[in-house]
Structure formats: structure tokens, C-alpha cells
């Protein structure tokens, strides 16, 4: 049987409505990160063993359509991934023990990853991302990497927001995310006009939004 070599940028699949094509984004060690190319739904990054991906190719009798290196991107450093993991875990209200229990990984390993002291495989990072409820891309993608196709699908306002978000440091990003989460969860409460304190918060938000 012909050997299959996976490479970032490859698009594997079939001209069939029953098979969702897969775009290889990152190959590392014995794991591969890929994105399913759907027509409408948002396409999340996933990670599996290379052997499992190759098995999918053979079972589906998938073919290599193209190899577009512009579709690939670089992985963030272990230190950057650790900072993101810590921030996202805290925002999710989970302890290291909670994440360990959800993923079947050790709390000590998660502590090392958060400290940037030891690299984490992309398969384990994928499991951690699911456990804390964030996109895998959020944890692993280098800030300097760009995906033109995804970016072009955003509205002009979303592009401006994303551009501003990317240029600030990780602490500022966490503050912005926290503010948005508080704002989203409190929106229904802020619209109630019976409570004087709620009214003050609503007027404060309105003045900030207009500034």
C-alpha cells in the first residue's frame, strides 16, 4: 500500500456530499491538526494521531486535492500557550484539578504547561480546549500567523476589533475578555429599570459605548 505523507496545507477528501474534506493545518510528532471544510458551519480545529488521519483517508478512499501552504500557520511558543491556557482556565472558573479530571491528564502536567516549562502535544491541547470550552485555535495558534480565508469572512467591524485585540498584550486581552463576559451576562439585568444601582450601571455603560 502506498505510503501517505501528511503536510501542512494539504486538502484531502472526495467530490461527495457524504464526505467532509479535511485541511491539514499542522503536523507535529505523531499528531496532526486539521480543519473540516464545511460550506456553512464554523470550522473548528481538531487534532488526532497521524495514524488515525491516514486511516480515515484509506477508509474514505480520499484523494489529495491540493497543497496550499497559505492555509497553514505556525504554532505559538510553549510560554505563550501556557499563558493562554491559564487565562482561559481561570475565565472558565476551573481549577487545574478540574481540567485534569475532565481530560484524564495529571494536574502536575497541566501546571507545567501553564508555566511554559514543558511542551504539550497538540492532541492533549485539543482535549484541554474541549474541557475548558474554548477553540483549539485560541490556545495553539501563533499570534503572528494569519488565515486570510477566515479573516476575509469577517465583517469590517469584526476585523477592526480583531486587529485591535491582536496588538495588545496578553494581560489586556484577558481584561477585554473578562469585561465582555461580564457585559454579556449582565445585559438582561442592566435593562431592568426598577433598581437604582442597575440604572447607574446602565447609564455608565451607555456613556462608555458612546465615547
Amino acid at each position: 500500500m502506498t505510503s501517505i505523507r501528511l503536510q501542512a496545507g494539504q486538502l484531502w477528501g472526495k467530490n461527495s456530499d457524504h464526505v467532509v474534506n479535511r485541511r491539514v493545518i499542522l503536523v507535529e510528532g505523531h499528531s496532526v491538526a486539521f480543519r473540516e471544510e464545511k460550506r456553512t458551519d464554523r470550522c473548528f480545529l481538531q487534532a488526532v494521531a497521524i495514524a488515525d488521519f491516514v486511516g480515515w483517508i484509506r477508509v474514505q478512499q480520499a484523494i489529495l486535492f491540493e497543497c496550499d501552504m497559505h492555509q497553514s500557520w505556525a504554532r505559538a511558543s510553549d510560554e505563550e500557550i501556557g499563558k493562554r491556557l491559564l487565562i482561559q482556565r481561570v475565565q472558565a472558573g476551573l481549577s487545574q484539578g478540574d481540567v485534569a479530571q475532565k481530560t484524564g491528564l495529571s494536574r502536575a502536567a497541566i501546571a507545567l504547561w501553564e508555566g511554559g516549562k514543558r511542551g504539550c502535544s497538540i492532541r492533549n491541547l485539543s482535549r484541554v480546549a474541549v474541557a475548558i470550552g474554548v477553540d483549539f485555535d485560541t490556545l495553539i495558534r501563533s499570534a503572528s500567523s494569519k488565515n486570510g480565508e477566515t479573516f476575509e469572512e469577517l465583517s469590517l467591524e469584526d476585523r477592526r476589533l480583531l486587529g485591535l485585540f491582536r496588538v495588545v498584550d496578553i494581560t489586556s486581552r484577558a481584561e477585554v475578555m473578562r469585561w465582555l463576559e461580564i457585559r454579556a451576562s449582565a445585559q438582561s439585568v442592566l435593562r431592568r429599570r426598577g433598581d437604582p444601582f442597575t440604572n447607574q450601571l446602565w447609564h455608565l455603560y451607555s456613556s462608555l459605548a458612546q465615547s
Side-chain angles (χ1 to χ4, degrees):
M1 186 173 289
T2 305
S3 176
I4 297 175
R5 183 178 180 181
L6 299 182
Q7 181 181 348
Q10 290 177 341
L11 177 64
W12 292 87
K14 296 176 67 175
N15 288 319
S16 169
D17 292 335
H18 301 293
V19 176
V20 179
N21 298 338
R22 292 181 173 185
R23 172 79 67 178
V24 178
I25 303 298
L26 183 66
V27 180
E28 179 184 274
H30 299 289
S31 304
V32 54
F34 68 93
R35 180 175 285 111
E36 292 185 336
E37 305 244 323
K38 301 180 181 179
R39 292 188 177 89
T40 55
D41 297 338
R42 184 177 180 185
C43 304
F44 294 104
L45 195 66
Q46 305 175 53
V48 297
I50 289 178
D52 292 336
F53 194 99
V54 172
W56 172 85
I57 291 175
R58 288 172 174 160
V59 168
Q60 300 295 338
Q61 297 182 331
I63 62 173
L64 177 60
F65 285 119
E66 64 181 34
C67 185
D68 183 359
M69 292 304 297
H70 292 291
Q71 296 289 339
S72 64
W73 41 259
R75 168 180 168 152
S77 67
D78 290 340
E79 183 179 2
E80 181 67 18
I81 290 174
K83 291 179 181 178
R84 295 174 185 176
L85 176 56
L86 172 60
I87 291 171
Q88 295 294 336
R89 176 180 62 77
V90 171
Q91 289 180 347
L94 298 173
S95 67
Q96 292 177 344
D98 293 332
V99 177
Q101 185 176 16
K102 286 174 174 285
T103 59
L105 303 169
S106 71
R107 191 203 64 78
I110 294 170
L112 287 173
W113 298 336
E114 289 186 355
K117 297 178 181 178
R118 191 176 75 182
C120 178
S121 71
I122 57 178
R123 272 188 293 170
N124 283 340
L125 278 173
S126 178
R127 293 163 64 185
V128 171
V130 172
I132 62 180
V134 300
D135 293 351
F136 183 29
D137 307 53
T138 302
L139 293 180
I140 196 171
R141 185 175 179 178
S142 170
S144 61
S145 298
K146 294 182 179 180
N147 186 325
E149 183 179 7
T150 302
F151 186 76
E152 291 300 326
E153 294 174 354
L154 299 175
S155 67
L156 184 60
E157 185 179 62
D158 287 343
R159 292 184 201 178
R160 180 171 179 269
L161 179 61
L162 181 58
L164 292 171
F165 190 77
R166 282 177 172 172
V167 299
V168 299
D169 57 68
I170 194 71
T171 302
S172 298
R173 293 184 185 187
E175 291 175 355
V176 170
M177 291 296 296
R178 181 61 179 162
W179 185 88
L180 288 173
E181 289 173 352
I182 293 173
R183 177 69 193 97
S185 63
Q187 186 168 357
S188 60
V189 178
L190 288 173
R191 287 178 176 171
R192 291 197 307 233
R193 299 305 179 91
D195 180 11
F197 178 68
T198 299
N199 287 338
Q200 290 179 10
L201 289 177
W202 176 254
H203 290 312
L204 176 60
Y205 167 74
S206 299
S207 63
L208 290 173
Q210 295 173 2
S211 61

